[in-house]
Every structure is written in structure tokens, then in C-alpha cells.
């Protein structure tokens, strides 16, 4: 632990721990962070509500992770690559994913699988840790092409136990790939607490295995996350290779809407921690003491966000029914005879409904 | 109501259980009767498994016997290989069949080979349980039906129950089997219906299918979640005067060659229904067995109703991917009228 | 001498090459013509590959284009996925097919699905090359013939040449293909014989088999290292007055349905030869296609001569595992006299 | 590197670097080490010769590794588990493998796959790193059964790049499994030099990722290896969990008899290093200055070893031909109908020859 102290810029009361970035963190910039955190939290609440109403499928909430997701996503450059998991739709949205696509995705629609047709945000990786090597590969390809684009891969504490975590970091370290491995350590992989996931005290220290920098940051401090990621990206673009960042967060809610956390942890205790540590609250306190806070401003952005989200929901719900052809037409650039024949046979029966 | 022949025969004390309850009951029976059995997997302990298959077992049997593992399928299947070498009987849960791929190397190069390469000195009495199949609106990769990948690997048996009775009986048979068994659990049937399940220990023999409906015109081969679907279609067919011989294969490796031949030689017409991809699916293997055993009996080409040669799509299209009763009925008619 | 139809047709300048030389030549042609192509794998650089398939290429094209990777199949196949997303065309070498298993998850959940999940916005133009098959006295796990695992995965094509001409032509077709292709290289044929191979760029179409011998009595389907064996058996059969229509399928997914039907409808008698395990092997898939296309033409049950349902044994028994000319001849006679 | 100094007991001239074990390392014990090193080197020379003569298949030589393999194997207790790779037959033989079985193995015979029917030495693992989780599992099972047996897994520098290395160590660390992960870092994975295999300066430091001890030892110093492994085993048996040991060695020869190292390295330079660093030579020098060396003794054991090896070769070569039934009869405890039928069909044809 001593080797990997928790890096903070503001503490739980929103007060400065480290003033190096005070100038840069001006009103506009701070408000941008808050705006995005509020936006994705509002979106998240909508997601949970839609799931409860049976209007979408299983949903993955991320409250507690907003600082980590917004802080990291806002550190990226336009053409960087983002490789998120199922829990990182907050980061995807902040980087530029389409809201309606995200909802479509939760509604089991292939159209929603790719978060954006413009930004390089890859579909959420479902098989844990498998996308880490992808980020490595995209990063190496950017060097090959001579750009200075970088890549970021998101993953959880549980993901560090998979072989692909290890292989992705090792290859990136050997080729000095411009990639940031951004871990959100929320202390749980579904029900498994981190002490049973690993014997190491921190995730950051796993960087030693690859001879790369490991950084441990308070993931509920959006500033700390932001600058840690920014500096890692700078190192990456300078050819200094990958960085492993551990952002320590708390998952306030359930693993997914299908999960019941009271089976495996004291949810009361978590709720108490939420009161004290909520990243939005912390930023609010900070804004208050710096005089950046205005109820009116918040009400305004809140109402804009609500409108934006509602219209995305409308868009999602008014989308034409899923097209069976999509299942057949995009397996290969040209369907093989097997697929054409299967499509034809299903078509002859008027489909399956 | 679909049920195995054995259910009718049994006279033991029983209770009415869903499939998931029968699986839990089977695991409990196992843990009670053999100290060397252990359960391992992700979230199987305190959480009782994401489907609650191991609910309460860690509380009763302790953390040494019901083990929460790190998120590491290759690692814990490999660990289970080592445990099996040292005399334990691990029952490993893969959270969804689509997450078995990281453990593929361990299965293909060790789990299935240890007996042969040691000429029987060591063997791997491991059971790998995995919920599988589409139809419950799961996310991507949670709906795979890739049993055919495993029936092609020499050295592992593959079974798949279609009801609670078979689930417990096959599970206990798998645990007893000195060799590796992949135990597939159709998610769609976990809670759908209840049947009487003996409270004690009993076995459903691996390698034997069962005739769930007697008929003379067309044979239907299916297993797992396809059985209720096929039964519905065959009910429908009765109205048209077509009587179906419905076979629940249950054991996917080895397949029940005798039962396959027996039914085909009676009807001469065959429909095979499975949700795995068509090409390389088990349907082709069954056709191959029919070719070997019953060539002269066939009155029509065998019809297959299967999943397509496409990745199982996100859930808005999963019903388009899955065999439907309409597709099964069309196939039965086609076989019947050829 | 076994060769494809195309060889006879071609008039381009050519050289006489072994299969391994033709593969190197194909890779060179690729690297010369497209800056976005790269080669990755274990020992492919300075060492030129354990079979010398990439010999000299790193010297010519540099370390950025012919990349030695760490010993990490999941890692470098995954890395290649990322590269492909970013617009490169990686040709990945798996040192032996038996070592593809660690990359199975990457292949099954990403390589094969990226196009579908992005509705075509991204695609993975990756070629995975792998030496495969038994018969060269390799150690354990070096002699696998598990093509059927991949023909069952939707989203990847699988090809396998039986001679140098097809090797180069199929390889270049695979590289050109915008989708993933598994390119299987029968180790046993690497250096066995030479054929004329055009020096320039040409393609052998994926999805098309080829008739390597015209005959009327019995059809033989085979590919890869089984072709010379089958040719020997069919020569033998000529003495008994049995003429064989020998089809080199070459493309294992998709199979050449038309050619299969064409030959079966001519002969009505079929022998399938492959070295993969019988159950779930491609033989059953071919039988299924025959069932679909040519039911009324069959005069005898289809015969299969395959590897057994056992792990490929250590090399002292590999010839017992592999199809032999005797087994093929027996099967031809059986099909012929039924 | 500073954190992981190379642990030595004797230096390249055979002189003490660390005298702590001087007493224990008495004449008898030192001679035992030398005997085993000479034995496996002689066996290795026979292996290469047999391969050249076409009397066995591809062979994997290990010269340079003798100190590491003998030092580690002699640290094990009777009932411990050994999980070797294809290159660790020296360790297997030292722990108690049957010589004739080893030769049978190189001759492609299933009978040789299991090194011993008595000692718990597992078949050499061919797929790299896959046996590390097995060692973890066997070790956990021993704890479950209440014994104090431990396990050791052998693997190379290349193996550290595979996911199974990572997963095996992580799980072992979480469950405090009594297992020693014994790495022989010979600087090459076939042709790949270690700088291209990993970006970390040492392999030992990878232990940090699992919060376990990492030890870096001169693998050509049989004493250093021996005590490092012994102490790791002691920790293991005390319930203190796994240790990662990196034994730095040089592979003097080719990767296998099918490999041509001059393609990728300066073999002359390696030959020079062999002159200076050969672990047998080093031990000989040590024995000489301690007065333990006697030409007569060496000639005696050399001649015994030769006899032993020749008789194992005779046994290997006079073994009855491989039995086709072995291929069918041990896939399952009872053959399935598929296998029975296949066996019968092959039998009807009088087999395949
Ligand atoms: C290979 C694989 N195994 C299992 C799962 C099932 N699964 C989904 S999320 C999850 C836990 C992930 O934990 P962590 O990496 O900490 O991320 P978090 O969910 O906490 O954000 C598991 C086991 C999966 N998706 N992929
Ligand atoms: C999964 C897997 N991939 C590739 C190979 C082929 N192969 C055999 S040995 C070897 C190099 C191993 O290097 P290292 O781990 O350093 O051990 P060493 O041979 O040097 O003892 C490779 C790539 C294999 N056996 N298994
Ligand atoms: Mg987590
Ligand atoms: Mg090495």
C-alpha cells in the first residue's frame, strides 16, 4: 500500500488535497465535469426505471463510478479509442456515444451494440477482460500508422484475474503501446469481494509485473482521475508505453438489475458510505466552497438533461421493430450459401413471429 | 407435461421441484454423501450462484467445500484438474456456457486427456455445470448453445436434461462417473415447470435417451429446452392425424444409437430439432448415425430445425434465431408428406 | 500427382514449389502488395517460423510488419483484433493448431462477431494460419485435426489446401477476404512434393472444391493430407474396375454444396475421409448435405473413414489413429458392393 | 533489478558467496548433487545421440539447466507433487522418474508419458503454462486432505506470458496454496529473447502482482537453487502460501533437436559462456577446493550411470510394439459405443499396419 498511495486532488469534503491543478480547474472546466456526472447519473436512474417497468432488459447501474468514468473519458482526445465494459456506458456517453443507441442496446437491439458511428467507442465487452488485448492492438496500429492516437481500456477488479488482463498488459508493455489500462476497483466482482479475488493489496502494484507505471487514484475524485489519465495518455503518446491506473470506487447499487446485493454484503453500510462519498456530492461541495455552485445552473442543466434523455427514450421506443435480416446479413460481408438458405427458409415461413 | 419414463416407475418419496431446485437438491445429495466432492465457481458461495443453483450450500457445507473462485475460468478449471489428480471430485460451475471459452484449452488438452496419457493411472472425475441456451432475454454471449464443440472433443461426456427429474438423476450420474462430464442446464427450463423428484439418491443413466411420446409417423429428436417446444408441435400435429415419436436424447455424447435406430426404423421419417448452429451441429451427427444404422428404412430426407449459422443475436432477435413451433410443424409436415 | 484443375489452366510464369515454399511466396506477395498487411506470431520473425513459413520475411519487410510476439495466443490474437479494428490486416500464425485453444475465446467471442455486433461498421479481415494434422512424429498436442470446432463457429471461414498451388491461391484469397479465415496447413504435405506455382498474384476461390479425379462409381470427399492417401486408394481401386470421383473440398466452411451434390448424384455411392475425430467431424456435415440435396440418388449408406473418438495418440500410434489406404479401400468396396 | 538481486551460494569459480549452509553442505550432500547433475547430463547426451541416430523422435535437451533441476528436485519431500514441462525430465529423473519410461516417452510411446507409477510426477505439460493451475489445485487438495504435502510447477521464461501463468499464481495466492512456482529463465522461448517476451527486468518481480514472495536465484548454482526452493517449500507447508522463484540459467543447446539456434542467436557466444558457467564445472571447482573431488569417484559414478542408462535404452528398445488398444481403452473408464465400434472396425482390418 505504501508504494501505491491513493492519489487525490480533493478530499471527501471537496477540499483541496493538492492544489497543482487549481488554475486549470476553473469554473468552466469544473462545471463541465459536474454536467457530465449529472448527465450520466440521470441517465442511469432512467435505465433502472425503464428496467423496472419492463421497457428494457437487464440493466447495469454504475452509481459511484461517475467520477471515474467522466474524469477518464474527458481526458481522451477526439480520435482516441475507447474499449468499455458493460458498466462503462457512462464513460461511453461522456466520450460521445449516442444516448438512443445506448438505450437500444439495453433493449437487446443489435443497433445499440456499437455506441457511436463516429467516435471510436467499441461495443461493451461482455466476456471479462477480453478487450484489453484489443486496446493494445488498436494502440499498436496507431503507432504503425504514424498517428498519435491512443487507446483506453476499462475493466473491473474482477477482470484482473483473467488471463487476458495479463496478456493484454504484457504485450502492450513489450511493444510500448500507447494505451491506458483503466481499472475501476469497486471491490466486488458480482458477489466476490476483492480480498477473495486477489492477494495483492492493490491493483496498481500489478504494474510491476510489466515494468510499467502503476497509479492508484481515488476514483470518486473526478479531478484526480482526470489528471492521472491525462498524464498516462501523454506518456503513451510520447512513446513511453502503457500505464495501469487503479481508480478506487464504490458500487453503490446492485451488480445488475438481476442481482440482489443483500445476499452478499451489508447494503446498509454501503448506503451510509454513499451518503459520505458520493462523487457528485463531493464535487458539489467543492464547487460550493469555490463559489461555482448555483442552484439555478443545476436546475437548468438538469432539465436539459432530462429532455435529452426523454427524447432518447422516445427514439428508442419508436424505433422500428428489430429486423430479422440483421441477424443474417452481417455475419460475413457476403452471406455464405448456408446463411442465405437459412434466411430464405425463415423468410418463407414469414419469420418466427 | 414432459417427463421421463423413469418418473412413472419410481416409487420413492418425492417432492415437486423446478429444475433449478432439483439441481440444488442433487448437489446437496452429492455433498452429503461424499466428503471428496466440492463445488467451485464464480459466485457459487455466499451468493448461491447467479441462478441460485448453489443457494444455501456454502452455509451448510462450509467454504472449503463450496468455493468462490476468482474470475478465472481457465484458472479454476485448471485448479480443479489438480484437485482431481489429488483425489477430489470437483463440480465446477461455469456461470454461462458462453464463458467456458477461456477454459477451452484446459478442457481440450487436460481434462479430456489425463486418463489416456497416464494409461488410466490418473483420471479426472470432474463435472462442469453450465447454464445454456437462449430465450431468457440475456445479454450477448449469455445465450450460447455450443454443445457440439464438446461432443467433438474425445474424453468428455455431455448431457442435458429437459426436466427436473432427469436433472437431478443425470447430475448424480455425472458426479458418479469417473470421467469428465459437461452438464448443460437449459436456462429456459430452470423455473418453467415442476415435476416429482425423489428426495433420495438415484441415477439417470448417461448414454440413454428416453421416448417422451410414442408415435408412428414421424420421429422427432430433441433435448433440453427444445422438448417442450417439440411436444407442443407434436400435439398440434395430432390434429392433422400425424403421430410423432418424440425422443429426448438427454445424453449428447455418447448418443443413444440404439434408441435412434429403433425409432427411425419404426417411422422412417425424422425431424431433428436443436438450437445450436446448423452447420456442425449435433443434428448432422444424428443424421450420420441414421445413415449408419437405418439407411434402408428412411422414407424421406431427414429434416433439421436448428439455430442458424449466425452468432446468437441480441435478445430482440433471439426468437428469430431459435427454432419455433411453426418451424417444427413445417418440418414434420415436410417429412410426413415427402 | 495431385493437382487442382486450375494448375492445368494457368499460363502465368511459374516455379516448382513445395507447399511451404508456396506459402512463403504467398505471404511475400501479400506483404509487397498491401502496406496494411502484417504477420504476427511466435518465432515468425528472426527464426522464420518453426516450419520456415516466414523465412526471410522479417529481413525484407522489417520488424514492424513481421512481428515476433510473446508466447501468448489469446493475447496476440486479441491484439490482432484491435489492429484489424484500426484498419490493419493481420495474418496470425498459431505455431500448431493444438495451441489455438488459448485463443478460442478471442475467436469465438470477438474475431467472429465484430461485424455482426457493429452491423458491418467494423470487420475483422484476419487470417489465422495453423500447421495441423498428424503423421510427422510430433509430440503430444502437435497433431490435432480439429477443423470441425471452427466450422461450427459462425463468422469464420475455414480452408485447407492439399497442394502448393492451392496453398498460395487460397492464402491470397483469405488475405483478400474481408472476414476472418482459418487457414489450415497440413504439415504432412509441407515438403512432400512440388507443383508449378505462378510467381504472381492469383486466387483460389474460397467456397469451391475441386474434382481431382473424374470417376463414376464411387465419390470420395477429402481434403488436405488425406488427398494423396485417397488418390493412392483410388488408383488401387482401378485395378478392381472401380472408378472413383475424387473431390478435394479445400473449403471446409462454407463447403461446396453444388459440387457435393453433383458428384453424389452421379455416383450414388460415397466415401468420406478425414483425420479429425469421427463424432462431430466434418464427415457428418457432408452426410447432412447429401441428405438435403441428394436423398433419392443414394444407392448405399455413406461410408466414413476418419480419425477415432480418441485424443490423437503419441506418435508411436499415430498411424493407427490416421485413416490408412487399407481403410479407405475397404470403405470404397463396401460402398460399391452394397 | 535492485529489488531482486541474484541469490548465490557459490560463484562461478565455485567459491563461497554465502557460507550459511557450509555445514549442511557436507561431502555426502555435495556429492549427491554432483551425482545427479552428472546423471542427467549423461542421460541428456544419450538422448541427443539417440535422436541423431533416429532411434527416438524429437528430443528436448536441457544442458545449462542441471543445477536448477537437480537443486529443486532434491528439495522436495517424498509425497510432494511435481508438474514439469517437456524440458524438465532432468528434474523428473532426479525426483524419481523411471529412466526407461523417459526414453519411451521420447519414442512416442504413451507408456512413457507418465514419468513414474510411484512418485507424483505428472506427464510433461506440452501446452505452455497450462499446468500451473494444476499445481495450485493439487496443493489446495492436499490442504483439504490435511496433509503437509506441497507441489512444484516448472516453467520457462516464455511461459510467463500466458494467461494460465497469471491465473495459476493468482488463485494460489488467494487460497495460500502450498505450491512453489519454479521458473527457469533461460532467456529464450525458442527464438524469442526475453527482452521481447516481457518488459519487466526480472521474472521474480512478477510476484508483486500476487502479493507473494519473489526470489531471484542463480540457476547454475545448484546450492542456491536448492535452498531457495527448500525455504519456499517450508513457507508453503506452514500455510504461508506460494512463492515465485526465478532461476536464471543459460540454455546451452538448441530449443529441441528440431531447432537451429544459429538462426536467432550467436551460438559461439553461448558456447563461450558454457565454458565459463557450466553448472557441473562450477560444482567441480567447488568440490576441488573443498577436497571433495576424486577422479576415481567420478569415474565410478560415471560408469554406474552409463550402465544404468544403457540398460534403460535396451529396455526401451526391447519394449513390445505399441499396443493399438491403448489408444482406445483409456479415453474413458469404459469405452463408449463409439470407441468400441471404432476399435472393432480397426481390429477387423487387422489394425493399420
Ligand atoms: C469470461 C466471463 N466470465 C464470467 C462472466 C460473468 N460476469 C459478468 S460481470 C462479472 C463480474 C465482473 O467483476 P468486475 O471485473 O469487478 O467488474 P464490475 O462488474 O464490478 O464492474 C462476472 C463474473 C463474464 N461476463 N465473462
Ligand atoms: C500454448 C502453447 N503455445 C506454443 C507452444 C510451442 N512452444 C513450445 S516450447 C515454446 C517456447 C517455450 O519457452 P519457455 O517457456 O521459455 O521454455 P523453454 O523452452 O525455454 O524451456 C513454444 C512457443 C506450446 N507448446 N504451447
Ligand atoms: Mg468490480
Ligand atoms: Mg525459455
Amino acid at each position: 500500500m505504501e508504494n501505491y498511495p491513493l492519489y487525490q486532488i480533493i478530499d471527501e469534503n471537496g477540499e483541496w488535497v493538492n492544489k497543482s491543478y487549481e488554475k486549470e480547474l476553473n469554473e468552466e472546466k469544473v462545471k463541465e465535469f459536474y454536467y457530465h456526472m449529472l448527465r450520466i447519473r440521470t441517465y442511469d436512474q432512467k435505465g433502472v426505471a425503464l428496467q423496472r417497468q419492463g421497457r428494457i432488459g437487464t440493466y447495469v447501474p454504475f452509481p459511484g463510478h461517475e467520477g471515474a468514468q467522466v474524469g477518464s473519458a474527458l481526458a481522451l482526445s477526439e480520435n482516441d479509442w475507447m474499449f468499455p465494459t458493460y458498466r462503462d456506458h457512462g464513460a461511453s456517453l461522456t466520450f460521445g456515444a449516442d444516448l438512443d443507441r445506448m438505450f437500444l442496446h439495453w433493449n437487446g437491439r443489435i443497433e445499440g451494440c456499437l455506441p457511436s458511428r463516429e467516435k471510436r467507442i467499441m461495443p461493451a465487452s461482455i466476456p471479462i477482460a477480453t478487450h484489453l488485448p484489443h486496446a493494445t492492438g488498436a494502440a499498436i496500429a496507431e503507432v504503425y500508422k504514424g498517428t498519435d492516437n491512443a487507446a483506453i481500456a476499462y475493466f473491473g477488479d474482477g477482470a484482473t484475474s483473467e488471463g487476458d488482463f495479463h496478456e493484454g498488459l504484457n504485450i502492450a508493455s513489450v511493444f510500448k503501446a500507447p494505451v491506458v489500462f483503466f481499472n475501476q476497483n469497486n471491490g466486488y466482482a458480482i458477489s466476490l469481494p476483492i480480498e477473495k479475488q486477489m492477494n495483492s493489496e492493490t491493483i496498481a502494484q500489478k504494474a510491476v509485473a510489466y515494468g510499467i507505471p502503476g497509479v492508484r487514484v481515488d476514483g470518486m475524485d473526478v479531478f484526480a482521475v482526470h489528471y492521472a489519465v491525462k498524464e498516462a495518455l501523454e506518456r503513451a503518446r510520447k512513446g513511453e508505453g502503457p500505464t495501469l491506473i487503479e481508480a478506487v470506487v464504490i458500487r453503490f447499487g446492485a451488480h445488475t438489475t438481476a442481482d440482489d446485493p443483500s445476499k452478499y454484503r451489508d447494503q446498509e453500510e454501503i448506503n451510509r458510505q454513499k451518503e459520505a462519498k458520493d462523487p457528485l456530492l463531493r464535487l458539489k461541495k467543492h464547487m460550493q466552497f469555490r463559489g461555482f455552485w448555483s442552484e439555478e445552473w443545476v436546475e437548468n442543466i438538469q432539465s436539459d438533461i432530462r429532455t435529452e434523455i426523454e427524447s432518447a427514450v422516445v427514439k428508442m421506443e419508436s424505433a422500428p421493430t428489430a429486423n430479422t435480416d440483421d441477424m443474417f446479413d452481417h455475419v460475413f460481408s457476403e452471406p455464405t450459401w448456408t446463411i442465405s438458405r437459412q434466411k430464405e427458409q425463415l423468410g418463407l415461413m414469414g419469420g418466427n413471429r | 407435461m414432459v417427463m421421463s419414463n423413469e418418473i412413472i416407475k419410481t416409487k420413492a418419496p418425492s417432492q415437486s421441484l423446478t429444475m433449478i431446485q432439483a439441481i440444488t437438491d442433487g448437489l446437496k445429495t452429492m455433498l452429503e454423501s461424499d466428503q471428496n466432492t466440492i463445488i467451485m465457481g464464480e459466485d457459487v458461495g455466499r451468493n448461491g450462484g447467479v441462478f441460485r443453483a448453489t443457494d444455501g450450500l456454502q452455509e451448510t457445507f462450509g467454504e472449503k467445500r463450496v468455493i468462490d473462485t476468482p474470475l478465472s475460468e481457465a484458472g479454476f478449471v485448471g485448479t480443479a484438474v489438480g484437485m482431481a489428480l489429488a483425489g477430489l471430485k470437483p463440480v465446477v460451475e461455469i456461470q454461462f456456457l458462453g464463458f467456458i471459452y477461456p477454459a477451452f484449452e484446459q478442457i481440450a488438452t487436460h481434462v479430456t486427456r489425463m486418463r489416456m496419457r497416464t494409461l488410466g493411472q490418473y483420471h479426472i472425475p470432474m463435472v462442469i455445470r453450465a447454464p445454456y441456451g437462449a430465450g431468457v432475454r440475456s445479454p450477448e454471449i449469455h445465450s450460447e448453445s455450443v454443445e457440439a464443440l464438446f461432443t467433438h472433443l474425445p474424453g468428455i461426456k455431455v448431457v442435458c436434461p429437459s426436466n427436473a427429474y432427469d436433472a437431478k438423476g443425470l447430475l448424480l450420474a455425472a458426479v458418479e462417473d469417473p470421467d469428465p462430464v459437461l452438464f448443460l442446464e437449459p436456462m429456459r427450463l430452470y423455473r418453467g415447470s415442476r415435476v416429482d423428484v425423489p428426495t433420495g439418491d438415484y441415477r439417470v443413466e448417461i448414454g440413454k435417451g428416453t421416448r417422451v411420446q410414442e408415435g408412428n409417423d414421424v420421429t422427432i429428436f430433441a433435448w433440453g429446452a427444445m422438448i417442450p417446444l417439440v411436444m407442443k408441435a407434436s400435439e398440434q400435429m395430432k390434429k392433422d392425424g400425424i403421430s410423432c415419436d418424440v425422443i429426448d436424447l438427454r445424453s449428447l455424447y455418447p448418443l443413444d444409437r440404439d434408441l435412434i435406430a429403433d425409432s427411425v426404423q419404426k417411422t422412417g421419417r425424422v425431424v431433428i430439432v436443436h438450437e445450436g448452429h446448423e452447420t456442425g451441429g449435433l443434428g448432422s451427427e444424428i443424421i450420420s448415425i441414421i445413415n449408419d444404422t437405418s439407411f434402408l428404412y428412411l422414407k424421406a430426407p431427414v429434416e433439421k430445425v436448428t439455430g442458424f449459422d449466425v452468432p446468437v443475436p441480441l435478445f430482440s432477435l433471439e426468437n428469430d434465431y431459435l427454432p419455433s413451433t411453426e418451424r417444427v410443424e413445417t418440418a414434420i409436415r415436410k417429412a410426413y408428406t415427402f
Side-chain angles (χ1 to χ4, degrees), chain A residues 186-244:
Chain A
N186 64 12
Y188 284 89
I190 309 187
S191 70
L192 198 73
I194 190 163
E195 319 82 75
K196 294 188 175 183
Q197 188 72 250
M198 64 191 72
N199 186 51
S200 64
E201 278 185 287
T202 68
I203 287 170
Q205 77 195 60
K206 295 181 191 290
V208 173
Y210 315 103
I212 61 171
V215 178
R216 193 154 185 268
V217 42
D218 184 340
M220 320 249 258
D221 173 353
V222 65
F223 301 155
V225 169
H226 184 69
Y227 288 104
V229 174
K230 227 173 147 181
E231 281 151 28
L233 285 168
E234 277 159 23
R235 278 195 297 279
R237 292 189 222 281
K238 274 193 282 182
E240 293 172 15
T243 301
L244 172 61

